[in-house]
């Protein structure tokens, strides 16, 4: 059975002014990568958990702030070439959130208490384990930038959002 994850894509604006919040994957493998190294904040749906609950929980765990308590639109399920399935919900936030104390974007998430971490072996096959943040920063980007930055399996999410707004 494929791994199922759920993510929450915050957005604001319309047309050329549309922006989405994406998160850069943490750890030494991703440290010097930018293109195809960003993701919708997401994580595994636990047994018995619904997609919306999982998406909001994972958002808070990865970014260290609660997800906005606003209505969500289901953008659909997106299958990676690996078989993994990611359900993405979109939440429109007021543009005024950007730069405010409630803004989830952050140039260094490692400074936020409570963000989720993961253990990785680094360097590969060394036996050495490091604890790293799942994501290390989050930023508002245009839809065009998101298409360039997001991992390949999530690029269709941008098209789905564009159709929905």
């Amino acid at each position: 059975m494929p791994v199922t994850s759920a993510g929450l894509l915050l957005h604001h604006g319309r047309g050329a002014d549309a922006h989405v919040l994406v998160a850069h994957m943490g750890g030494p493998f991703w440290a010097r990568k930018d293109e195809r190294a960003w993701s919708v904040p997401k994580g595994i749906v636990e047994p018995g958990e619904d997609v919306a609950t999982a998406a909001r929980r994972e958002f808070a765990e990865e970014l260290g702030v609660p997800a906005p308590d606003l209505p969500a639109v289901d953008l659909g399920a997106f299958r990676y070439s690996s078989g993994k399935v990611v359900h993405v919900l979109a939440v429109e936030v007021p543009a005024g959130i950007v730069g405010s104390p409630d803004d989830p974007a952050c140039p260094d998430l490692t400074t936020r208490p409570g963000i989720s971490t993961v253990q990785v072996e680094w360097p590969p096959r060394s036996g050495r384990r490091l604890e790293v943040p799942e994501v290390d920063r989050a930023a508002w980007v245009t839809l065009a930038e998101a298409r360039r930055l997001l991992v390949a399996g999530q690029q269709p999410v941008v098209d789905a959002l564009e159709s929905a707004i």
Side-chain angles (χ1 to χ4, degrees):
M1 180 154 182
V3 173
T4 301
S5 290
L8 200 61
L9 182 63
L10 300 191
H11 68 96
H12 69 82
R14 299 268 191 251
D17 292 327
H19 287 75
V20 293
L21 183 76
V22 295
H24 185 267
M25 292 182 272
F29 178 81
W30 301 103
R32 291 187 174 87
K33 294 177 175 30
D34 198 42
E35 196 166 298
R36 307 282 176 263
W38 295 71
S39 175
V40 172
K42 58 146 185 60
I44 293 176
V45 178
E46 300 294 340
E49 188 176 38
D50 65 79
V51 169
T53 301
R56 290 179 183 279
R57 175 184 51 76
E58 285 291 339
F59 183 95
E61 287 177 6
E62 289 193 354
L63 300 184
V65 295
D69 189 18
L70 296 167
V73 173
D74 189 347
L75 295 180
F78 303 86
R79 185 175 297 277
Y80 287 20
S81 60
S82 66
K84 179 179 183 172
V85 175
V86 178
H87 291 265
V88 179
L89 304 175
V91 173
E92 184 171 11
V93 297
I97 196 172
V98 178
S100 79
D102 295 325
D103 189 349
C106 180
D108 183 4
L109 286 171
T110 63
T111 64
R112 276 195 184 148
I115 63 164
S116 58
T117 60
V118 64
Q119 282 203 357
V120 298
E121 184 178 18
W122 193 261
R125 294 177 289 288
S126 68
R128 185 171 166 236
R129 308 289 296 173
L130 296 176
E131 189 167 328
V132 299
E134 286 191 71
V135 296
D136 57 18
R137 60 189 184 270
W140 292 101
V141 299
T142 65
L143 300 186
E145 289 172 305
R147 283 186 180 92
R148 180 180 63 80
L149 296 173
L150 286 172
V151 294
Q154 292 179 18
Q155 290 174 350
V157 172
V158 179
D159 297 329
L161 176 66
E162 205 165 32
S163 295
I165 60 174

